[in-house]
Amino acid sequence: MGANSVISLDAMSGDLGAEVVVRAAKSALEEHDDIELILVGDGERLEALVATIVDGKSVDGKSANGQSRLKIVHADEVVTMSDSPTEAVRKKKDSSMRVAIDLVKSGEAQACVSAGNTGALMATAKFVLKMLPGIERPAILAELPAIGGSLYMLDLGANTQGSADQLFQFAVMGSIVSANLKRIERPRVALLNIGAEDTKGHDTVKEAAALLGSSTLNYVGFIEGSSIFSGEADVIVTDGFTGNVALKTMEGTAELLKHFLVRAFTRDWLTRLTALLAGPVLKRLARETDSRNFNGATLVGLNGIVIKSHGSADAYAFKHAIDTAVVEVRNQVPKQIGNLLQREAA
C-alpha cells in the first residue's frame, strides 16, 4: 500500500457479522480519499462480500502506487465474546483480532478497529503493542453527548482501580485525544468526585487533583456525577470501576427514558395524536442522542492506535469508529501523548 493512512479492520468479531464491517469500509473509503483499509478475517467470506458490496464502485480505486485501497488478509480464527482475555492471547494467535493488531505492530497498518470482546482486545493489544513510555496502564476513553456538544471520559473499564499517578496519566491522554478529535486548543479536564469542593473525596482523588493543579493541563477541578453532561468539562477522569458503573448507569437511564416516552405517547388515542404532532421534535431528539454517533472508544496508553467499536454496531456506527481511527492516525495521537508526558516530567 502507499503513503495513505492504513487501518486494519477486525471483520469477524462483532455481533452482526462481517457484512457490517465491509459496508462501513465502503462508506469510509468513499468519504476519505487518503486512507487504505485492510479487512482481516475469513478470506473467502470477505472476498464474496467485497464482490457484492464494493467491487465496481469508485471506492475500490487505486492508491498512489497503483494498488487497491481495500485489501483482504486471511485469519483462521475468531475471538468470541465468551473467550477470556488469556485464551485470546495464548490460544488464538491467528484470530482476526490478533492479526489486525499484529498489522499495527509490524507497521503495515497505523491503527486497528475491532468490535470484539473488550477484555480480549485490551489484553491482546497490550501484549502485542506494549505501553507508551511513562504510561503504567491503558485506559478506555469514549465520547459522550453533553450540553453544547460532547465530552470524553476515561477510564471506562480497563482498570478497576487507579493510583493518583495513573489518574494523572489518564488526564494527559484524554486531553490529547480531545484536543485532536474535537479541535479544542486547551481541553478542560475535571476529576469525577462525590463533590465539587476541594475537601471532598478519598486520598487518591485528592492527590491526583494536586498533580493536575501543578501541571500545564487546563484542570478545572472536581465534577459531580450530576454534572457530567453539563458542558463544564471536555474531559472527565476517573478510575475504571467508577467509570464503567457511571457509563452503564447512563445507558440504563437512556433506556428508561425511552420506555417512559413510548408509554406516555401510546397511552390512548389523544397521546398518539400528540406523538404525531411532536414527530419532528422527537426525530431531532433521536438524532442528537443517537449512540451510533459516539461509537468508537479509544484504548489509550498503547504504543499504537486501537479503537473499540460497540459489539452491536451497525455499518453507520462502525464507520464512525473508523473515522475516529483516521483522525488519530493523522494526528499521531500516541506520539503526542508521549511528548506531553515528557514535558510534564521535565
Side-chain angles (χ1 to χ4, degrees), residues 34-315:
D34 63 342
I35 69 169
E36 301 172 30
L37 301 176
I38 303 174
L39 297 169
V40 183
D42 183 333
E44 185 176 343
R45 170 66 174 153
L46 291 173
E47 286 176 4
L49 286 170
V50 169
T52 302
I53 298 169
V54 179
D55 273 2
K57 307 297 182 181
S58 61
V59 297
D60 199 29
K62 305 297 181 180
S63 64
N65 66 357
Q67 300 297 312
S68 171
R69 291 201 295 133
L70 187 63
K71 178 181 177 181
I72 295 172
V73 171
H74 178 74
D76 287 320
E77 299 173 301
V78 177
V79 173
T80 68
M81 292 299 178
S82 61
D83 285 334
S84 72
T86 302
E87 288 175 328
V89 172
R90 293 181 178 178
K91 298 181 179 180
K92 293 195 171 181
K93 297 180 181 179
D94 194 37
S95 68
S96 56
M97 179 185 291
R98 175 65 175 268
V99 173
I101 295 173
D102 283 342
L103 289 169
V104 178
K105 174 67 174 180
S106 68
E108 296 176 68
Q110 284 81 58
C112 164
V113 181
S114 174
N117 179 323
T118 302
L121 182 66
M122 178 65 79
T124 303
K126 186 178 179 182
F127 176 78
V128 173
L129 299 175
K130 311 306 179 187
M131 304 299 300
L132 284 168
I135 299 293
E136 297 176 20
R137 295 181 181 178
I140 298 175
L141 176 148
E143 184 181 10
L144 302 173
I147 294 174
S150 63
L151 63 92
Y152 287 90
M153 187 167 173
L154 76 166
D155 177 22
L156 296 179
N159 310 280
T160 55
Q161 295 179 325
S163 67
D165 285 337
Q166 288 160 2
L167 292 177
F168 175 77
Q169 293 162 17
F170 295 167
V172 169
M173 296 189 290
S175 183
I176 290 292
V177 173
S178 178
N180 282 285
L181 297 185
K182 303 303 291 184
R183 297 181 181 179
I184 302 171
E185 185 174 350
R186 281 178 53 76
R188 297 162 297 166
V189 179
L191 278 170
L192 186 62
N193 198 3
I194 59 173
E197 300 84 0
D198 292 340
T199 56
K200 295 289 183 69
H202 50 64
D203 290 342
T204 300
V205 77
K206 291 178 182 178
E207 291 170 13
L211 291 173
L212 287 168
S214 61
S215 74
T216 61
L217 298 179
N218 186 15
Y219 176 60
V220 296
F222 293 139
I223 194 168
E224 296 183 79
S226 59
S227 299
I228 288 175
F229 305 116
S230 66
E232 297 173 20
D234 303 301
V235 179
I236 296 179
V237 178
T238 187
D239 63 85
F241 182 90
T242 306
N244 191 265
V245 170
L247 179 64
K248 297 297 174 60
T249 302
M250 297 170 199
E251 292 173 347
T253 301
E255 288 300 315
L256 180 63
L257 290 174
K258 180 180 178 181
H259 167 77
F260 284 151
L261 279 172
V262 170
R263 188 175 68 176
F265 279 117
T266 57
R267 190 180 303 276
D268 52 44
W269 69 268
L270 183 59
T271 58
R272 289 188 175 90
L273 177 60
T274 303
L276 288 174
L277 295 174
V281 176
L282 294 175
K283 288 180 179 178
R284 181 176 179 181
L285 176 63
R287 285 196 304 270
E288 292 181 346
T289 58
D290 188 346
S291 62
R292 298 180 304 168
N293 293 319
F294 303 96
N295 183 53
T298 303
L299 306 189
V300 289
L302 299 168
N303 190 24
I305 298 170
V306 178
I307 306 298
K308 171 65 174 75
S309 167
H310 199 287
S312 61
D314 61 10

Side-chain angles (χ1 to χ4, degrees), residues 7-25:
I7 299 167
S8 61
L9 308 179
D10 173 8
M12 311 305 293
S13 297
D15 297 340
L16 303 182
E19 182 176 344
V20 163
V21 179
V22 175
R23 292 191 180 280

